[in-house]
Amino acid sequence: MGDSRRKTPTSSLVSSRPRAAALLQRLPSAPGFWRSPVRGVPFTAVLGLVLLAGITLLFVTGLLSYAAYNPDLAPVNDKTPDKGLLGFYLFPWPTSPHWLYRLTQGLHVTVGIVLVPVLLAKLWSVVPRLFTLPPARSLAHALERISLLLLVGGALFEFVTGLLNIQLEYLFPGSFYPLHFYGAWVFFAAFLAHAGLRTPQAVRVLRSGGLNGPVAGDVLESPAPAPPTLSRRGALAMVGAGSLLLLVTSVGRSFDGPLRRVAVLTPRGAAEPGSGPNGFQINKTAAAVGITTADTGEGWWLTVSGPAGDLRFSREQLLAMEQHSAALPIACVEGWSTSDQWWRGVRLSDLAALAGYPDRPPAVLVESLQRSGPFRRAALRDNQVRDPRSLLALQVNGEDLSPDHGYPARIIVPAAPGVLNTKWVARLTFGEL
């Protein structure tokens, strides 16, 4: 006899439906999966407005940093030769104020570091949106999801590559300069589109209800929130405290003062690497790039080229020329900088006059003894050559340059990125580049 309790196919199908529904409720796409009471449009709106201001500043200072490299002057300076229209804004980088690059790049790196907790909190706050189903309800919704993918991916890419570059960890596939440059344009385009869509709503939310006010149709707020352990104001305070901690432990490597000793999270922070006139920060040592005493000893000559031909000078002959002094910092793309150091040497404009340009010095191509590296050759603009503070430095702070600071001679130019202040100079070629 058959078992009268045996389930029919229809009854099996009916009984499986509750199990399937229960399974769906445990997936990240279910509204009840995300239960934090902190999430919500008001919390996300505050973080979004902070990022709107901070990322805009990052983009502007990043463009200024690119312009400071003079990429439109000569191919040796251009690390993104296929930039095309993206170089529309490039302009001759000025030499005044002499701390200009120190300020703009210090802001760029410091703000980027400080925004890390804000960015992570913003991504955490909107993560439910990344799992909403269906993936696209319409063409407009599909375009919005694609822009969101570019926004999140671009933000992570730019921040990760930037932080790795600050730490001198070149783990990314390829040169930092084109990767960060092109990535910035893709990210900022998506960022502008997102900001245009969301900023008006964020402003309305904060004006109407504040952090804890109700928001109609708030898709980020959980329908069944867990018991609160932290208010939204408390969560924002935690994010702010994280940013403040990063500020205190990083900003000192860009600006003078007592914070330099506690800038422990970035290279070139904390204490100076040595004492005495040459005891300030450096980027690369002579040994690291293969410079030896055989290169910089008595057999070293500086070649100066121009309409007057090739002229050769020993270090003693350069010291016998009229010497000039300038108090200038060194500021690098990684965001670190030195205070003003007292440099002494021969003006670049005087060397241009010897090369055959007595009236209006042109641009100059500087070549180093360094045998490899992206900036062993660099070009300086005519306004940089003409500035009376631009020197072929032979001494610093009253003492001969140390090998690590560029002995026997180095370039020092006001407001120029550190890589354009070429060390271990071997040749100067004046003229149109």
Side-chain angles (χ1 to χ4, degrees):
M1 293 179 63
D3 187 349
S4 61
R5 294 173 298 176
R6 183 180 301 168
K7 294 181 180 179
T8 64
T10 302
S11 63
S12 298
L13 180 62
V14 171
S15 65
S16 67
R17 287 175 180 171
R19 292 198 298 269
L23 177 62
L24 289 175
Q25 290 303 313
R26 292 196 294 269
L27 294 178
S29 56
F33 181 87
W34 309 97
R35 300 190 61 203
S36 172
V38 173
R39 282 193 181 90
V41 169
F43 180 73
T44 302
V46 174
L47 298 172
L49 291 176
V50 173
L51 287 174
L52 175 62
I55 288 177
T56 301
L57 179 60
L58 285 181
F59 188 68
V60 171
T61 52
L63 293 183
L64 291 176
S65 178
Y66 184 63
Y69 278 68
N70 294 332
D72 58 338
L73 175 63
V76 294
N77 287 18
D78 191 358
K79 305 306 173 187
T80 54
D82 299 322
K83 61 185 177 297
L85 294 176
L86 297 182
F88 70 94
Y89 74 95
L90 293 173
F91 59 94
W93 187 250
T95 57
S96 291
H98 71 276
W99 39 260
L100 178 62
Y101 190 75
R102 187 183 187 195
L103 173 65
T104 59
Q105 194 60 16
L107 280 174
H108 183 75
V109 172
T110 300
V111 171
I113 293 173
V114 168
L115 285 181
V116 168
V118 184
L119 175 67
L120 294 178
K122 175 67 185 291
L123 293 178
W124 172 86
S125 73
V126 298
V127 71
R129 282 184 178 156
L130 302 180
F131 293 93
T132 56
L133 295 176
R137 296 187 297 269
S138 64
L139 178 60
H141 186 238
L143 292 176
E144 182 183 354
R145 295 299 293 272
I146 292 173
S147 70
L148 187 61
L149 179 65
L150 291 175
L151 179 69
V152 174
L156 293 175
F157 180 83
E158 286 299 290
F159 275 80
V160 169
T161 55
L163 290 172
L164 287 174
N165 186 66
I166 294 168
Q167 297 295 336
L168 308 179
E169 295 289 347
Y170 304 109
L171 304 178
F172 25 81
S175 172
F176 168 75
Y177 299 98
L179 288 174
H180 205 65
F181 177 78
Y182 294 124
W185 280 102
V186 172
F187 165 62
F188 198 70
F191 176 75
L192 283 181
H194 183 76
L197 291 170
R198 298 297 182 186
T199 300
Q201 179 194 23
V203 173
R204 286 196 303 270
V205 166
L206 295 180
R207 281 180 176 175
S208 61
L211 273 179
N212 298 312
V215 177
D218 189 346
V219 297
L220 295 177
E221 190 164 341
S222 174
T229 58
L230 187 69
S231 69
R232 285 174 179 168
R233 293 184 186 276
L236 288 175
M238 286 186 61
V239 174
S243 292
L244 180 61
L245 178 63
L246 291 178
L247 175 67
V248 171
T249 53
S250 62
V251 70
R253 51 92 184 91
S254 297
F255 305 100
D256 297 330
L259 289 177
R260 184 176 288 273
R261 287 190 170 275
V262 296
V264 295
L265 293 185
T266 55
R268 313 298 182 261
E272 297 288 7
S275 59
N278 279 275
F280 54 96
Q281 296 286 351
I282 57 172
N283 196 353
K284 294 179 180 178
T285 64
V289 297
I291 301 295
T292 67
T293 54
D295 301 310
T296 61
E298 294 182 357
W300 176 85
W301 293 83
L302 172 71
T303 301
V304 178
S305 298
D310 287 350
L311 308 176
R312 299 181 72 206
F313 301 97
S314 67
R315 194 169 191 279
E316 289 70 23
Q317 289 173 320
L318 291 170
L319 285 168
M321 296 180 184
E322 184 177 1
Q323 303 291 293
H324 298 270
S325 298
L328 300 172
I330 296 174
C332 285
V333 69
E334 296 91 359
W336 68 268
S337 61
T338 71
S339 57
D340 289 356
Q341 309 296 321
W342 194 255
W343 307 90
R344 189 164 178 79
V346 183
R347 284 176 175 167
L348 292 183
S349 57
D350 292 343
L351 292 171
L354 294 175
Y357 295 98
D359 298 324
R360 189 172 180 82
V364 63
L365 176 65
V366 184
E367 298 179 71
S368 172
L369 292 171
Q370 184 178 336
R371 295 172 180 82
S372 62
F375 288 98
R376 62 166 300 272
R377 302 168 71 234
L380 297 173
R381 291 187 180 277
D382 54 356
N383 66 307
Q384 293 173 312
V385 175
R386 289 195 302 269
D387 193 296
R389 298 166 295 178
S390 297
L391 304 176
L392 179 73
L394 307 172
Q395 297 176 322
V396 64
N397 298 323
E399 188 176 280
D400 288 347
L401 296 169
S402 69
D404 289 343
H405 279 299
Y407 181 90
R410 69 169 296 161
I411 296 295
I412 189 71
V413 173
V419 290
L420 298 185
N421 291 313
T422 308
K423 297 192 285 189
W424 313 294
V425 176
R427 188 181 188 96
L428 300 173
T429 303
F430 293 91
E432 296 298 324
L433 303 179

